[in-house]
Amino acid sequence: MDLKTTTISSLQKQLAAGEVKAVDVCRAALDRVERLGDLNAFITINADSTLARAEQIDEAIERGEQLPPLSGLVIAVKDNMATKGIRTTAGSKILFNYKPPYTATAIQRLEEAGALVIGKTNCDEFAMGSSTENSAYGAVKNPWDRTRVPGGSSGGSAVAVATGMAMAALGSDTGGSIRQPASLCGVIGLKPTYGRVSRFGLIAFGSSLDQIGPFANCVEDAALILRIISGRDPQDSTSSDSPVDDYVRLINTDIRGLRVGVPREYYSDGLDSEVKDSVEAALHKMEGMGAEIIDINLPHTQYAVPVYYLIATAEASANLARYDGVRYGFRAEDATTLKEMYSRTRDLGFGAEVKRRIMLGTYALSAGYYDQYYGKAQQVRSLIQRDFETAFSQCDVIATPTAPTPAFKLNEKTSDPLEMYLSDIYTITANLAGIPGLSMPCGVTSVGLPIGIQLLGKHFDEAKLLRAAHNLERGLGFSSRPL
Amino acid sequence: MPITRADVQKIAELARLELTAEETELFTEQLSSIIQHIEKLSEVDTEAVPPMSHCNDVEGDPEYAKREDTVTPSLGQKLALENAPDSGDGYFKVPRVIGG
C-alpha cells in the first residue's frame, strides 16, 4: 500500500469495504520508516501501541461499527507536542528523557477521530531553525536530494509525509516552520489563523506567533485534518470560538472571480529565478481558471525579519526560563549551588541556536533597551498587520513564493545565523499578522527540487485559502515525488 | 551599536547561561551582526502607532478569556515529580540554597 497516494477519504472507503486493514496501513508506514531511516525523520517511533490501536479499529470494522472520520489515518507528530507517556524532546538534549503526563489537545482530537500516531518527528531544537540541522538528535535529510536540508523547523514531519512514512503529519509554525519545509519537500503545509487550533501541549517558543497545523499530500486531507483539530479549547485561552467551517465541502467551489493579490515586495532581490518563474506560471494558471490577479503592496515587508527576531526571541527567552534542571529533563552534575546548577544545566542542555536566541531575547527585554528594541518591534508589527488589512480590502487571497530558494545544501547556512533567518523572509509576516498561510508544490527545478507557492488568507478564512489551493492543485496536477 | 564581550557576559548572567569563553567570543560577534540588521527598524516612523502584543482581536470583549471558577483535579504530587532529575519525600531536590 502506498501511503503517498492514498487520501484519507479513499482510505475510509477501503477500510469500510474490507479491502484494506488498518494494521496493513500501519505496517506499510513502519516499513517505510525503517527503510528510509537514514533520512532521520523520526526521534521516537511508537510501533507497538500504534499496531495495537490499529487492531482495535479492524475489530470495530468487523463488528460493523460506525467509524470516526480519520480511522486508520497514520499520522506523524512533531516532537515539540506533548504525548502522554511517550518521550517528547522538542529536539533538545534538555528534554532527552521527558515523558509528558498529558497529551496536546490537537493530538487528542486526532486520536479521538481514529488517527494513529506512529511517532514523533525530528525538528530544530525548540522549533528554532529553518533547516532541521539544529536538532540534538542529528540533522534531517531532504528525500529529493540527501545532500540538502528539508527545511525547518518541522523538517521531520515534512519528510515523513513526502516519503509515505505517514499519510499526514502535524507541525508547528512560528515563522514558517510548517510552510517552508512543506515547500522544500514538495508537500502541502498549512499554518492556520492564530487561535484556530489550541496550543495546549505545544512546547512554547513564541507564544504570540506559534500555531499547530497539518502536513498532507493533498489539500483535501489538510482540510479534513484542520476541521478536526480546530476550535475552542478551555485549556488555551487564546484559542478562538469562531465557527469551524466544513472545509472539505467548501473547497470544491471553483475560483471564478476570486481576487488574488500579488505583492511586488515578495518578488524582488534574492528570489531564485526558477522559483519566480514557477510561481508566476501558477498565477497564470489561476488566472486561466477565472481568478483575477491584482497587484498589491505590503510596504513594511522589509522590516518583518528584524521585527520577528526581536519578538520571537523575547518571547522565547521568557518561555525557556522554565528549563532549569529542577522539574524535568536534563540536570548538570556536580554543581554546588542552585545558581550554578541552573546556569550549567542550561549551557550544557541547550544547543547553540537556542542559546543565541535566548541571549538576543534577553538583550531586547533588558533594562535600557526595552523601548528601543522590543517596544519598537511591537509597533512595527502593528504596521505589518495594517499592511495586510489594507491589502485584503482589495483581494481575497495573496499569492507569493513560500521560500526564496529551493532546498539548500546541508551546512550551507549554519555558520551565518542571519543568512539562515533570511530564508524565512516570505513566511514570517503571516505569523506577525496572525493570518493563515498555506504552501503547496507548484513545480520542480531543473535539478529536480520541489518549488512551493504560498497562499495567504484573511483571519479565519481558511475555507477560501483551501478552496484556492484545491483548485490550483487540480489545475497544476503536481505528481512528482522523491524516492 | 556594537555588542561588547562585557554585554554578552551580562546578558548571559541574566539568562542563567554559563557560557564558555569560545561561546562568549562567538556570540559577541554574531549578536553584533544581528543587532546591526535589527537597527534597520529605527528608520520606521512609529509616532502614534500602538504596540501589538498579540493577534487576538478581543480588546472589546472582556469576557473572552474568562471561565467559571470551578475546582478541577490538578496533576497531583506523584505525576508532578515523575520527571524530576532528583526528588524525595514528595519534594523536588536541588543543591543547597541557604548557608552551607
Side-chain angles (χ1 to χ4, degrees), chain A residues 132-177:
Chain A
T132 318
E133 292 169 291
N134 297 334
S135 168
Y137 304 90
V140 178
K141 290 172 185 150
N142 191 310
W144 297 77
D145 176 349
R146 285 175 159 84
T147 67
R148 291 175 189 273
V149 303
S153 64
S154 316
S157 287
V159 170
V161 173
T163 55
M165 296 184 202
M167 286 176 65
L170 288 184
S172 67
D173 190 314
T174 306
S177 284

Coordinates of all heavy atoms in Angstrom, one line a residue, chain A residues 132-177:
Chain A
T132 N 16.2 22.2 10.1 CA 16.3 20.9 10.9 C 17.7 20.4 11.1 O 17.9 19.2 11.2 CB 15.3 19.9 10.4 OG1 14.1 20.5 10.0 CG2 14.9 18.8 11.4
E133 N 18.7 21.3 11.1 CA 20.0 21.0 11.4 C 20.3 21.2 12.9 O 21.3 20.8 13.4 CB 21.0 21.8 10.5 CG 21.0 21.4 9.1 CD 21.8 22.4 8.2 OE1 21.3 23.5 8.1 OE2 22.8 22.0 7.7
N134 N 19.4 22.0 13.6 CA 19.7 22.3 15.0 C 19.0 21.3 15.9 O 18.6 21.7 17.0 CB 19.0 23.7 15.3 CG 19.7 24.9 14.5 OD1 20.8 24.8 14.1 ND2 18.9 25.9 14.3
S135 N 18.9 20.1 15.5 CA 18.4 19.1 16.4 C 19.5 18.4 17.2 O 20.5 18.1 16.6 CB 17.6 18.0 15.6 OG 17.3 16.9 16.5
A136 N 19.3 18.1 18.5 CA 20.2 17.4 19.3 C 20.3 15.9 18.8 O 21.1 15.2 19.3 CB 19.9 17.5 20.8
Y137 N 19.3 15.5 18.0 CA 19.2 14.1 17.5 C 19.7 14.0 16.1 O 19.3 13.0 15.4 CB 17.8 13.6 17.8 CG 17.5 13.8 19.2 CD1 16.9 15.0 19.7 CD2 17.9 12.9 20.2 CE1 16.7 15.2 21.1 CE2 17.6 13.1 21.5 CZ 17.0 14.3 22.0 OH 16.8 14.5 23.3
G138 N 20.5 14.9 15.6 CA 21.0 14.8 14.2 C 20.2 15.5 13.2 O 19.0 15.7 13.4
A139 N 20.8 15.9 12.1 CA 20.1 16.7 11.0 C 19.2 15.7 10.3 O 19.4 14.5 10.2 CB 21.1 17.3 10.1
V140 N 18.1 16.3 9.7 CA 17.2 15.5 8.8 C 17.6 15.8 7.4 O 18.1 16.9 7.1 CB 15.7 15.9 9.0 CG1 14.8 15.2 8.1 CG2 15.3 15.7 10.5
K141 N 17.5 14.8 6.5 CA 17.9 15.0 5.1 C 16.7 15.1 4.2 O 15.7 14.5 4.4 CB 18.8 13.8 4.7 CG 20.2 13.9 5.4 CD 21.0 12.7 5.1 CE 22.3 12.8 6.0 NZ 22.7 11.4 6.4
N142 N 16.9 15.8 3.1 CA 15.8 16.0 2.2 C 15.7 14.8 1.2 O 16.7 14.4 0.6 CB 16.1 17.3 1.3 CG 14.9 17.7 0.5 OD1 14.3 16.9 -0.2 ND2 14.6 19.0 0.6
P143 N 14.5 14.2 1.1 CA 14.4 13.0 0.3 C 14.6 13.2 -1.2 O 14.8 12.2 -1.9 CB 13.0 12.5 0.6 CG 12.3 13.7 1.1 CD 13.3 14.6 1.8
W144 N 14.5 14.4 -1.6 CA 14.7 14.7 -3.1 C 16.2 14.7 -3.4 O 16.6 14.6 -4.6 CB 14.0 16.0 -3.4 CG 12.6 16.1 -3.3 CD1 11.9 16.2 -2.1 CD2 11.6 15.9 -4.3 NE1 10.5 16.2 -2.3 CE2 10.3 16.0 -3.6 CE3 11.6 15.8 -5.7 CZ2 9.1 15.9 -4.3 CZ3 10.4 15.7 -6.4 CH2 9.2 15.8 -5.7
D145 N 17.0 15.0 -2.4 CA 18.5 15.1 -2.6 C 19.1 15.1 -1.2 O 19.0 16.1 -0.4 CB 18.8 16.4 -3.3 CG 20.3 16.6 -3.4 OD1 21.1 15.8 -2.8 OD2 20.8 17.5 -4.1
R146 N 19.7 14.0 -0.8 CA 20.1 13.7 0.5 C 21.3 14.7 1.0 O 21.7 14.7 2.1 CB 20.6 12.3 0.7 CG 19.4 11.3 0.8 CD 19.9 9.9 0.8 NE 19.0 8.9 1.4 CZ 18.0 8.3 0.7 NH1 17.9 8.6 -0.6 NH2 17.2 7.4 1.3
T147 N 21.8 15.4 0.0 CA 22.9 16.4 0.4 C 22.2 17.7 0.8 O 23.0 18.7 1.1 CB 23.9 16.6 -0.7 OG1 23.2 17.3 -1.8 CG2 24.5 15.3 -1.2
R148 N 20.9 17.8 0.8 CA 20.2 19.1 1.1 C 19.3 19.0 2.3 O 19.0 17.9 2.7 CB 19.4 19.5 -0.1 CG 20.2 19.9 -1.3 CD 19.4 20.2 -2.6 NE 20.3 20.4 -3.7 CZ 20.9 21.5 -4.0 NH1 20.7 22.6 -3.4 NH2 21.8 21.6 -5.1
V149 N 19.0 20.2 2.8 CA 18.1 20.2 4.0 C 16.7 20.1 3.6 O 16.3 20.4 2.5 CB 18.3 21.6 4.8 CG1 19.8 21.8 5.2 CG2 17.8 22.7 4.0
P150 N 15.8 19.6 4.6 CA 14.4 19.5 4.3 C 13.7 20.8 4.6 O 12.4 20.8 4.5 CB 14.0 18.4 5.2 CG 14.9 18.5 6.4 CD 16.2 19.0 5.9
G151 N 14.4 21.8 5.1 CA 13.7 23.0 5.6 C 13.4 22.7 7.1 O 13.7 21.7 7.6
G152 N 12.9 23.8 7.7 CA 12.6 23.6 9.2 C 11.7 24.7 9.7 O 11.4 25.6 9.0
S153 N 11.3 24.6 10.9 CA 11.8 23.6 11.8 C 11.1 22.2 11.8 O 11.7 21.3 12.4 CB 11.7 24.2 13.2 OG 10.3 24.4 13.6
S154 N 10.0 22.1 11.2 CA 9.2 20.8 11.2 C 9.7 19.9 10.1 O 8.9 19.3 9.4 CB 7.7 21.1 11.0 OG 7.3 22.1 11.8
G155 N 11.0 19.8 9.9 CA 11.6 19.0 8.8 C 11.2 17.6 8.8 O 10.9 17.0 7.8
G156 N 11.2 16.9 10.0 CA 10.9 15.5 10.1 C 9.5 15.2 9.6 O 9.2 14.3 8.9
S157 N 8.5 16.1 10.0 CA 7.1 15.9 9.6 C 7.0 16.1 8.1 O 6.2 15.3 7.5 CB 6.2 17.0 10.3 OG 6.1 16.7 11.7
A158 N 7.7 17.0 7.5 CA 7.6 17.2 6.0 C 8.1 16.0 5.3 O 7.5 15.5 4.3 CB 8.3 18.5 5.6
V159 N 9.2 15.5 5.8 CA 9.9 14.3 5.1 C 9.0 13.1 5.3 O 8.8 12.3 4.3 CB 11.3 14.1 5.7 CG1 11.9 12.8 5.3 CG2 12.2 15.2 5.4
A160 N 8.4 12.9 6.5 CA 7.6 11.7 6.7 C 6.4 11.7 5.7 O 6.1 10.6 5.1 CB 7.0 11.7 8.1
V161 N 5.8 12.8 5.4 CA 4.7 12.9 4.5 C 5.2 12.8 3.1 O 4.5 12.1 2.2 CB 3.9 14.2 4.7 CG1 2.8 14.4 3.7 CG2 3.2 14.2 6.1
A162 N 6.3 13.4 2.7 CA 6.8 13.4 1.4 C 7.2 12.0 0.9 O 7.2 11.7 -0.3 CB 8.0 14.3 1.3
T163 N 7.6 11.1 1.9 CA 8.1 9.8 1.6 C 7.1 8.7 1.9 O 7.4 7.5 1.7 CB 9.4 9.5 2.3 OG1 9.1 9.7 3.7 CG2 10.5 10.4 1.9
G164 N 5.9 9.0 2.4 CA 4.9 7.9 2.7 C 5.2 7.2 4.0 O 4.8 6.0 4.1
M165 N 6.0 7.8 4.9 CA 6.2 7.2 6.2 C 5.0 7.4 7.1 O 4.8 6.8 8.1 CB 7.4 7.8 6.9 CG 8.7 7.6 6.2 SD 10.0 8.3 7.3 CE 11.3 8.6 6.1
A166 N 4.2 8.4 6.6 CA 2.9 8.7 7.3 C 2.0 9.3 6.2 O 2.5 9.8 5.2 CB 3.1 9.6 8.5
M167 N 0.7 9.2 6.4 CA -0.2 9.8 5.4 C -0.3 11.3 5.6 O -0.6 12.1 4.7 CB -1.6 9.2 5.5 CG -1.7 7.8 5.0 SD -3.3 7.1 5.3 CE -4.3 8.2 4.2
A168 N -0.1 11.8 6.9 CA -0.2 13.2 7.2 C 0.7 13.4 8.4 O 1.1 12.4 9.0 CB -1.6 13.6 7.4
A169 N 0.8 14.7 8.8 CA 1.6 15.0 10.0 C 1.2 16.3 10.6 O 0.5 17.1 9.9 CB 3.1 15.0 9.7
L170 N 1.5 16.5 11.9 CA 1.3 17.8 12.5 C 2.7 18.4 12.6 O 3.7 17.8 12.9 CB 0.7 17.7 13.9 CG -0.7 17.3 14.0 CD1 -1.2 17.3 15.5 CD2 -1.6 18.2 13.1
G171 N 2.7 19.8 12.4 CA 3.9 20.5 12.7 C 3.5 21.8 13.4 O 2.3 22.0 13.8
S172 N 4.5 22.6 13.8 CA 4.1 23.9 14.4 C 4.9 25.0 13.6 O 5.9 24.7 13.0 CB 4.6 24.0 15.8 OG 6.0 23.9 15.9
D173 N 4.3 26.2 13.5 CA 4.7 27.2 12.6 C 4.8 28.5 13.4 O 3.7 29.0 13.8 CB 3.8 27.3 11.4 CG 4.3 28.2 10.3 OD1 4.8 29.3 10.6 OD2 4.2 27.8 9.1
T174 N 6.0 29.0 13.7 CA 6.2 30.3 14.5 C 6.6 31.4 13.5 O 6.3 32.5 13.7 CB 7.2 30.1 15.6 OG1 6.8 29.0 16.4 CG2 7.3 31.3 16.5
G175 N 7.4 31.0 12.5 CA 7.8 32.0 11.5 C 7.9 31.3 10.1 O 8.4 31.9 9.1
G176 N 7.3 30.2 9.9 CA 7.3 29.5 8.6 C 7.6 28.0 8.8 O 7.8 27.3 7.8
S177 N 7.7 27.5 10.0 CA 8.2 26.2 10.3 C 7.3 25.0 9.8 O 7.7 23.9 9.8 CB 8.4 26.0 11.8 OG 9.6 26.6 12.2

